Amino acid sequence: MNNKTSISTFVLLSMFQPLSVSYAQTSAPADKPSAADKKVKSDSQGNTLLIVAQQQNGGLSELDTPAAVSVVNGDDVRDSRPQVNLSESLTGVPGLQVQNRQNYSQDLQLSVRGFGSSSTYGVSGVRIYVDGIPATMPDGQGQTSNIDLSSVDKIEVLRGPFSALYGNASGGVVNVETQTGQQPTTLTAGTYFGSYGSFRNSVKASGSTGDGTHAGDVNYTISASRFTTQGFRDHSSARKNLGNGKLGVRIDDRSTLTLMFNSVTVDAGDPGGLTESEWKANPTQSPRADQYNTRKSIDQTQVGLRYVREMTDNDELSIMTYKGERHTTQYQSIPPGPQASPAYPGGVIVLERRYQGIDTRWKHDGQLGAVPVTLIGGLDYETMTERRMGYKNFIVENGVNEYGVKGDERRNEKNKMWNLDPYLQSTWKLTDRWTLNAGVRYSTVSFSSKDYYIVPGNGDDSGSTRYHKALPMGSLSYALTPASNLYVSAGRGFETPTINQLSYRPDGSTGLNINLKPSTSNTVELGSKTRIGYGLLTAAIFQTDTDNDLAVATSGSGRSSYANVGKTRRRGLELSFDQQFSSDWRLRMAWTLLDATYRDNVNTSVSNIPAGNKLPGIARNSAYASLGWAPPEGFHAGAELRYMSDIQANDANTAQAPAYTLTSLNAGYRLNWRSNWSLDLFTRVDNLFDRHYVGSVIVNETNSRYFEPAPGRNWGGGATLTYTFE
């Protein structure tokens, strides 16, 4: 198979499942090098040559993929950073808005092209994978707390029509791949300390017993970390323990088996939102959290197994299976008054979730006449069982309410969700310059709930619903030169309500909100990519029209209800430029223009939104720029600039989080000695000019507590010590 055919092959494989299979290497210019990739040597004339290491693992190619995709390598994730949140390293990805709530009980606020911006907890509208295992449940609700940044190999962010091939996601896909162990064996220990009593300590071991090409070769990467903080705000302290492991073995010359393990525990206070006057008066305060002792604990463990076999020279079978458990207990700031109603589900939520899945696929490389064709077909099945309990958040002692303790039972239900998705994809290499991609995924998502808490005033809230949707997509790309291309793509997205969105009705009545419909989105995208030396210039323009969009109807007392709000439109432009020059200098820039508006007048019992209003939670303009100097050894430094325009906090567009510009600086020193030891010391300052700003908003919060403040000037520093066995 020629090089140009292999390009389309590994792009196609990447599109369907983020599995760590070995893809064919391409003859395209190498992706931009990181500091760890660079080696300098002299030729016979004494001239200095820059040697760029080739990629060892498969994945998305920023240049060759006919879609808007950004790849952030693991060195960039860790370079002079705390390695606590994805928000540290993904702010330079165009089209992606990731906000640190400064609230470890509610996860990050992450959206792609505006999808997911109204989520008050976790991530929705965006599919997240970690080593091929979905961090997004069958209902579309995801979380990022189990991602171990110290062992990340790369993070791929896919935006636009191709994301429909992953199923229940309208905005995009975030795929995280952890490192695969290689020779020589390395041991790494890291530490970080910073403002607000923040500490993170980590250890990692990585290596292999062979080069991965012989039967019996084993590779491994095992890591563990602990993070603690007092928090920027009152009642925002957190403790997080995280473990991650990946063990691979080559069974024979045609098959491999990989075992993945992950475990995370989080105990965090929940400071909640503030009104505008509260934020301006004292952004660190948390009056309701102090009164009700609001907090959350999370305990999750999962394991996955991936088997890949080359059946013939042109056929490959891949099977991925996983299983996990997640336990959550959350105490909310709900007054006793509303809980007096027998229909109210209480102020304490206890969730016990068990999830599992299997994805089986077949890939075939062949030809139709003189046209090379690649076909991939598969079947993806995911299921989750949830036991949801509710309790009062107080008890009465001597006639006085004691808050922040588990009281009488107020909710008891068992929820089941599953999805079954067959899919088919094809790539046609029409000529040396033209490539056609076409595919379809048929998604079925089912919800059912059995109510076990039936008392006078609170009837049987059991119910079920099921959604179906065919998700076609296609793209046509043209190679202007080996280093430049144009593409056009179109596809349909599908986003069902999550179980959290189905839990409450906007009018306050009992029962699941099963009248919610899934939203469907049609996207058209035109893009261009050009390799410039060791740099890449990308541009994408798109329009997404959505029917039955899901939006927050009411939000208050720690819970939100949702409604379908008719038609919306998202139109945008995404530009990025990433250039490495003069061996050790690197410049990165990105800009996103996103115009997201309601197209219908929305008049319901809870919302009156005129057509043309902006969708809340979305910045119209965002920009990022960074300049770094990073030689393999010695002093290194960098500067970052981030801009975010104002963000509407509600559908009425009567409250906004103001625009802000932030500056960060970092500096450090890398020391290598005895060929086995290396030490990297760093320090950084964030929000250098001490800007007073809102980090994220709680969309449509009923009591106007929209604002989650961000910290002022803060600092941190750390060290990473590595020993290599040679």
Side-chain angles (χ1 to χ4, degrees):
M1 186 169 58
N2 62 37
N3 284 333
K4 292 179 180 178
T5 302
S6 63
I7 290 175
S8 61
T9 299
F10 93 73
V11 169
L12 172 64
L13 287 170
S14 302
M15 285 302 164
F16 258 105
Q17 279 296 331
L19 306 181
S20 298
V21 297
S22 297
Y23 303 132
Q25 295 298 317
T26 80
S27 60
D31 286 344
K32 55 187 176 293
S34 65
D37 291 328
K38 294 184 295 183
K39 298 178 182 178
V40 178
K41 67 178 183 180
S42 297
D43 61 14
S44 57
Q45 286 76 37
N47 298 319
T48 299
L49 303 178
L50 180 66
I51 308 300
V52 182
Q54 297 295 319
Q55 290 181 326
Q56 299 298 315
N57 298 320
L60 295 178
S61 165
E62 291 184 270
L63 175 63
D64 301 311
T65 303
V69 60
S70 299
V71 181
V72 180
N73 67 56
D75 291 334
D76 293 334
V77 170
R78 289 179 287 275
D79 185 25
S80 300
R81 301 185 189 278
Q83 302 176 46
V84 177
N85 297 301
L86 283 177
S87 57
E88 302 163 9
S89 52
L90 295 188
T91 54
V93 175
L96 175 67
Q97 184 175 305
V98 54
Q99 309 279 54
N100 187 349
R101 297 179 182 272
Q102 304 299 319
N103 184 345
Y104 289 93
S105 72
Q106 300 296 336
D107 215 326
L108 300 175
Q109 189 179 70
L110 187 152
S111 65
V112 174
R113 293 184 172 177
F115 290 97
S117 62
S118 63
S119 178
T120 55
Y121 163 73
V123 179
S124 62
V126 179
R127 294 284 288 180
I128 302 174
Y129 293 87
V130 182
D131 284 331
I133 301 176
T136 301
M137 295 297 100
D139 64 341
Q141 185 80 28
Q143 46 82 34
T144 64
S145 58
N146 68 317
I147 299 175
D148 177 35
L149 299 183
S150 63
S151 63
V152 165
D153 180 56
K154 60 178 175 290
I155 301 174
E156 302 165 336
V157 181
L158 177 66
R159 312 179 298 278
F162 266 102
S163 62
L165 295 177
Y166 289 79
N168 191 5
S170 296
V173 177
V174 176
N175 175 41
V176 180
E177 290 284 350
T178 62
Q179 294 169 327
T180 298
Q182 298 177 348
Q183 293 181 335
T185 298
T186 60
L187 295 177
T188 304
T191 186
Y192 167 82
F193 55 91
S195 299
Y196 319 114
S198 299
F199 288 90
R200 183 183 183 273
N201 297 304
S202 64
V203 293
K204 180 176 68 175
S206 180
S208 68
T209 61
D211 62 5
T213 62
H214 302 89
D217 285 354
V218 175
N219 63 78
Y220 59 89
T221 300
I222 303 172
S223 61
S225 64
R226 178 179 176 84
F227 169 72
T228 60
T229 182
Q230 294 300 313
F232 153 65
R233 296 180 59 195
D234 297 342
H235 213 86
S236 63
S237 62
R239 181 177 68 251
K240 177 180 178 180
N241 298 317
L242 177 61
N244 195 77
K246 184 161 73 171
L247 175 67
V249 59
R250 176 162 284 281
I251 301 173
D252 52 40
D253 61 347
R254 285 188 173 270
S255 58
T256 61
L257 188 67
T258 305
L259 174 69
M260 288 81 67
F261 172 82
N262 181 274
S263 181
V264 61
T265 61
V266 179
D267 291 289
D270 184 355
L274 299 178
T275 64
E276 184 175 7
S277 60
E278 289 173 335
W279 164 58
K280 291 181 177 179
N282 179 11
T284 66
Q285 67 176 307
S286 179
R288 270 92 36 203
D290 291 338
Q291 179 182 2
Y292 292 95
N293 191 18
T294 53
R295 61 196 187 276
K296 180 186 285 187
S297 62
I298 300 170
D299 187 352
Q300 175 178 296
T301 301
Q302 67 183 25
V303 62
L305 193 64
R306 180 174 62 243
Y307 174 75
V308 179
R309 180 171 181 81
E310 296 177 9
M311 308 301 292
T312 69
D313 290 342
N314 296 321
D315 295 274
E316 181 181 84
L317 172 68
S318 173
I319 301 174
M320 174 73 186
T321 183
Y322 60 91
K323 184 179 181 64
E325 295 185 0
R326 183 177 176 89
H327 308 275
T328 304
T329 302
Q330 181 180 8
Y331 288 79
Q332 301 175 306
S333 58
I334 299 176
Q339 298 181 67
S341 168
Y344 205 87
V348 180
I349 299 174
V350 178
L351 298 177
E352 305 288 337
R353 287 181 166 179
R354 291 176 172 83
Y355 57 94
Q356 56 194 341
I358 183 170
D359 181 33
T360 303
R361 71 176 186 183
W362 190 283
K363 183 206 73 164
H364 173 74
D365 293 317
Q367 287 200 182
L368 185 62
V371 178
V373 179
T374 299
L375 297 174
I376 290 182
L379 186 66
D380 181 24
Y381 175 71
E382 302 174 13
T383 181
M384 182 180 77
T385 301
E386 171 190 273
R387 194 60 180 258
R388 180 181 290 255
M389 307 290 291
Y391 303 88
K392 290 183 177 179
N393 62 350
F394 67 95
I395 60 174
V396 181
E397 292 283 352
N398 299 320
V400 178
N401 292 335
E402 181 181 349
Y403 298 106
V405 295
K406 187 187 296 182
D408 298 335
E409 180 181 298
R410 303 306 299 274
R411 187 174 189 174
N412 184 349
E413 65 192 36
K414 186 176 183 179
N415 303 313
K416 293 183 178 180
M417 288 147 281
W418 59 264
N419 71 266
L420 181 66
D421 293 19
Y423 54 82
L424 179 65
Q425 170 76 357
S426 63
T427 294
W428 307 69
K429 189 64 179 176
L430 303 177
T431 69
D432 288 343
R433 292 179 180 268
W434 290 97
T435 302
L436 173 67
N437 285 272
V440 64
R441 185 180 184 115
Y442 188 80
S443 188
T444 300
V445 183
S446 176
F447 299 85
S448 65
S449 180
K450 176 63 177 177
D451 189 2
Y452 295 99
Y453 183 76
I454 304 172
V455 298
N458 184 56
D460 189 348
D461 293 330
S462 302
S464 64
T465 188
R466 186 172 295 179
Y467 307 111
H468 308 271
K469 186 63 66 175
L471 307 174
M473 66 74 51
S475 73
L476 185 64
S477 59
Y478 178 74
L480 298 170
T481 70
S484 180
N485 59 60
L486 295 170
Y487 69 88
V488 60
S489 61
R492 178 184 299 152
F494 176 59
E495 184 178 344
T496 68
T498 68
I499 190 61
N500 287 333
Q501 292 170 339
L502 290 169
S503 294
Y504 307 108
R505 296 184 178 182
D507 60 7
S509 61
T510 60
L512 291 178
N513 191 11
I514 59 175
N515 290 326
L516 279 180
K517 300 176 182 179
S519 64
T520 57
S521 303
N522 295 304
T523 299
V524 177
E525 178 180 315
L526 176 65
S528 175
K529 304 177 184 183
T530 302
R531 179 73 72 187
I532 305 173
Y534 291 120
L536 183 66
L537 175 66
T538 70
I541 185 170
F542 67 91
Q543 177 170 301
T544 301
D545 291 325
T546 303
D547 292 325
N548 295 316
D549 209 345
L550 296 166
V552 175
T554 62
S555 181
S557 299
R559 63 190 54 193
S560 300
S561 66
Y562 290 77
N564 294 113
V565 290
K567 298 180 183 296
T568 61
R569 172 170 288 171
R570 296 165 174 86
R571 294 187 293 188
L573 172 65
E574 298 165 351
L575 301 174
S576 70
F577 180 62
D578 192 342
Q579 177 69 57
Q580 180 134 1
F581 55 95
S582 299
S583 178
D584 299 326
W585 288 93
R586 184 177 179 185
L587 174 67
R588 289 185 292 173
M589 297 186 294
W591 176 55
T592 302
L593 172 65
L594 178 56
D595 180 41
T597 58
Y598 288 101
R599 297 178 62 199
D600 286 342
N601 294 313
V602 180
N603 296 297
T604 69
S605 60
V606 294
S607 301
N608 293 288
I609 311 167
N613 267 25
K614 298 178 182 178
L615 296 180
I618 302 170
R620 177 178 172 84
N621 280 281
S622 60
Y624 173 86
S626 69
L627 180 64
W629 183 53
E633 188 173 9
F635 179 76
H636 59 87
E640 295 176 274
L641 190 69
R642 182 189 179 201
Y643 168 76
M644 191 76 66
S645 66
D646 60 358
I647 296 174
Q648 301 297 326
N650 59 7
D651 288 322
N653 293 177
T654 59
Q656 301 87 25
Y660 60 85
T661 302
L662 302 178
T663 304
S664 300
L665 298 177
N666 67 80
Y669 193 87
R670 294 189 183 96
L671 176 66
N672 302 318
W673 75 98
R674 294 185 180 178
S675 76
N676 298 99
W677 292 92
S678 65
L679 177 65
D680 187 2
L681 303 170
F682 78 92
T683 185
R684 65 178 297 119
V685 178
D686 291 298
N687 194 0
L688 177 65
F689 298 105
D690 200 23
R691 300 302 187 195
H692 187 59
Y693 73 104
V694 172
S696 61
V697 298
I698 304 173
V699 172
N700 286 345
E701 212 283 336
T702 305
N703 299 298
S704 299
R705 300 166 187 157
Y706 306 115
F707 304 110
E708 296 181 293
R713 184 186 301 111
N714 60 97
W715 63 275
T720 301
L721 180 66
T722 302
Y723 179 78
T724 303
F725 293 85
E726 293 184 346

